[in-house]
Each structure stands twice: as structure tokens, then as C-alpha cells.
Amino acid sequence: MEDFTKKTLNRIKKIHKEETANEELINLRELSENDIKKFLCTGERVFLRKEIIFGEEELVKIKLEQSLATIRTFYINKAIIQFSSKPSTESYNSLCRAYFWDILTYMQVCLNFKDSPTLYLESDICLLYIFVLTYWPQYVDTVEPFIIKGLETVYDRRFNGLRTAKGNYGKNTLFPLALFLSEKYNRPQSIKDSLLLLRMPSTESYSFVLDNIFTTNENVLNECIIKLSTYHIDNSKTLDLTYPFHKEQWIYFPIEIISLIRLRNSYNLLDINITSNTVINQFKPFINSLPEIEDLTFDLYQKMIV
């Protein structure tokens, strides 16, 4: 497990180093920031940029979600490195705020999900929903219709054979968990129906976890955490999009485990010590944090839902 955590962080550090040193990436980020400012001022969602293609300068159309995705990745990587080097409530809240940029990116993608150049698969949407339920419940009423639209679009693609499913995408783990959380948080039937479109029967491990997460038995609870952590490690692979955790941000940040611990804590059950576990250790002291959205992020969010 130790090797897994270190390798994940080392990959992210390598990516972020390139982001901060490569002039083309720096320029791309500056252009993306300008695109976002234009959107806030004018509502414009498509931008023209001059790019050199095969040695010739051409005007290229860039969509808002592409600019958002550029900023999202940079902010998340930066926040991960800052939190891992100096874990604190402040840096954890900054981490959660950085991940909110993924919500903004996804909301923009959903305006034209079928033709968007920015890809969100079943597991990506499901993990994002779990994240919103866990740390941004004040926005779930607004974000939920976007989640429903994405899930139904993905389902239609699979059902009509437009993009055949060759893997599991967390349908027998993350989707039962999301459904479980939606029930505990009293979410409407519409989101449950959308999750059920893609949900498969739970694996034995996840069934055990969902049946026992509210236990007051220390050994049983730790068995739950071990099962979740083992699954997280075994199903993290950036080179295979069918794996539930194929994006570095979700490999590093085990939101599926965090969501259950936070839910359990909300029930004011007897505090049980969770055995040392490198997948979750660094996050445990901060799981009950209450992050607040930043002004720029909130302005973007408000502009998108108008």
C-alpha cells in the first residue's frame, strides 16, 4: 500500500512539474484563464485561438469546457501536492475547492454531452456525484440534473451500441455505493432511477461494506475499510479507462471511502479507531471539514446555472 500511495503522488508531482515548467503549457493555461474571464463578462462559450498546425497558423475553436479542464487539472494537481506536503484543515479545504473545478467542467460538458471533446465515463460521473453529496450538499439540487443527464446519455450510448462497454466501470461497486448514499441523504427518485440504469449487483466485498458500515464493532469496521482500500488499489489504473479509478485525481483522493466514513460520522456513532492504512491515513483527521467555495468558483457556478 505504501508503494501505491507514493507512486500515485510521484506521478502527480511529475505532471505538475511539467505544468509549471513547460512554456506551451503555461501559455495554454493563460489562454484558458482568459477564456474563463471572457465567459464571465460576455457569456461566450466558444473562443478562437491562433495555433500552428503543420507549420501554418490557423484559427482554432476552443470550447469553454476545454479551458475549464485545463485549469481544473492544474488546480487539482497543485492542491494535491500542497496537501500532501503540509496536511492541515486549510490545505484539505483547498483540495476540496480544487476538486470543485471538476464539477464546473462537467456541468459545461453536459450542455452538449454527446459532442464534447472532454470525456466523462460512468465511473467519472459516479465519483463526482459521490463527491458532491459528501462535500457540497448545498449544491446537490442544482448539480443532480447534470448527473442524471450524463448517466442517461452514457446509458443510451451503451444501449444503442454507439460505445460498447468492454469493462465494468465500477457498476457493481461505485454505483451501488452512490445509490446507497442517495438513499441515506434522501435524494429524489429521479437520481436513483438514473443510477439504477447502470447499476449492477454489488460485489461480495461492497455488499459486506454497505451492510456493515454503521457497525459499532471495531474489527468489523476495519474489515470494511480494508476491503474498500484493497478494491481501490486493485482498480486504479490510468492506462485502462474501464477501471473505476483511471484518473489520477480519484486514484489519489479515495472519495468513495471518505464518503462512507463521513456519513458514518454524521450518525454520531461510537468513535472507532481505524487501523493504519496508507490509502486513507492522511485524510482521516480532516474528513469532517466544511470547505467553502471561493468567489471566482462561485461566480462561474452562478453563471452556468442561469
Side-chain angles (χ1 to χ4, degrees):
M1 286 188 179
E2 187 67 27
D3 288 343
F4 168 84
T5 302
K6 284 185 176 180
K7 286 178 180 177
T8 302
L9 188 56
N10 285 339
R11 288 196 305 270
I12 293 170
K13 285 180 177 178
K14 185 177 180 180
I15 293 168
H16 190 62
K17 183 178 181 180
E18 181 72 7
E19 288 174 329
T20 56
N22 185 296
E23 289 187 10
E24 288 186 11
L25 294 178
I26 293 171
N27 182 55
L28 176 61
R29 191 163 63 253
E30 290 174 350
L31 291 171
S32 296
E33 289 172 346
N34 288 333
D35 293 342
I36 291 169
K37 290 176 183 177
K38 287 180 185 177
F39 167 67
L40 285 172
C41 291
T42 68
E44 188 177 351
R45 296 174 188 258
V46 179
F47 315 95
L48 290 176
R49 292 185 192 166
K50 292 180 181 180
E51 293 188 7
I52 304 299
I53 301 177
F54 298 116
E56 295 186 7
E57 187 177 88
E58 294 186 17
L59 286 176
V60 178
K61 288 184 178 180
I62 301 296
K63 294 184 176 182
L64 177 60
E65 61 259 39
Q66 293 171 277
S67 299
L68 287 168
T70 297
I71 300 301
R72 168 204 64 188
T73 303
F74 177 78
Y75 281 176
I76 289 177
N77 289 342
K78 180 180 178 181
I80 286 173
I81 293 169
Q82 289 178 341
F83 172 72
S84 64
S85 62
K86 293 183 179 180
S88 67
T89 299
E90 182 180 352
S91 61
Y92 188 81
N93 288 341
S94 294
L95 185 70
C96 290
R97 285 194 291 268
Y99 274 73
F100 196 91
W101 280 83
D102 199 26
I103 298 173
L104 298 175
T105 305
Y106 173 76
M107 288 171 64
Q108 179 60 32
V109 166
C110 273
L111 294 181
N112 192 8
F113 197 96
K114 293 180 180 179
D115 298 321
S116 175
T118 305
L119 183 65
Y120 281 89
L121 299 174
E122 294 95 317
S123 56
D124 305 322
I125 301 171
C126 194
L127 286 165
L128 199 55
Y129 183 55
I130 292 169
F131 174 64
V132 175
L133 283 175
T134 303
Y135 280 113
W136 304 102
Q138 65 270 45
Y139 301 115
V140 71
D141 286 342
T142 304
V143 174
E144 220 162 44
F146 291 91
I147 299 294
I148 291 171
K149 182 177 181 180
L151 292 176
E152 291 181 349
T153 301
V154 171
Y155 173 77
D156 288 341
R157 283 178 176 175
R158 305 298 190 199
F159 185 77
N160 294 316
L162 298 177
R163 183 175 286 171
T164 306
K166 296 181 179 179
N168 188 272
Y169 300 95
K171 293 177 185 176
N172 59 355
T173 51
L174 299 182
F175 276 81
L177 169 58
L179 188 61
F180 176 82
L181 292 172
S182 70
E183 291 170 348
K184 297 301 179 184
Y185 286 117
N186 298 313
R187 301 312 304 157
Q189 189 60 41
S190 55
I191 183 64
K192 297 173 187 176
D193 289 341
S194 295
L195 290 166
L196 285 167
L197 285 175
L198 294 162
R199 178 190 179 274
M200 294 172 61
S202 299
T203 62
E204 184 177 342
S205 291
Y206 257 71
S207 291
F208 179 87
V209 169
L210 298 182
D211 287 342
N212 292 283
I213 195 61
F214 298 117
T215 182
T216 56
N217 183 293
E218 181 173 339
N219 291 331
V220 174
L221 178 62
N222 278 297
E223 186 176 354
C224 288
I225 302 303
I226 289 171
K227 287 180 181 295
L228 289 167
S229 300
T230 300
Y231 177 82
H232 188 91
I233 292 171
D234 292 344
N235 289 275
S236 294
K237 192 173 183 180
T238 56
L239 298 179
D240 190 335
L241 299 184
T242 67
Y243 275 59
F245 314 106
H246 57 261
K247 291 183 176 180
E248 296 288 11
Q249 67 188 66
W250 297 124
I251 293 175
Y252 173 79
F253 191 50
I255 189 60
E256 78 285 5
I257 307 176
I258 290 169
S259 69
L260 284 170
I261 296 175
R262 187 175 170 101
L263 175 67
R264 191 180 187 284
N265 290 346
S266 72
Y267 278 67
N268 296 317
L269 299 173
L270 179 68
D271 189 27
I272 295 178
N273 181 54
I274 296 176
T275 304
S276 181
N277 178 333
T278 187
V279 174
I280 198 69
N281 271 355
Q282 61 187 324
F283 306 107
K284 280 193 300 182
F286 314 109
I287 285 176
N288 288 338
S289 294
L290 297 170
E292 294 182 359
I293 199 168
E294 293 176 321
D295 290 344
L296 173 61
T297 318
F298 184 71
D299 289 345
L300 280 167
Y301 171 80
Q302 288 285 82
K303 188 79 172 179
M304 287 181 176
I305 63 176
V306 171

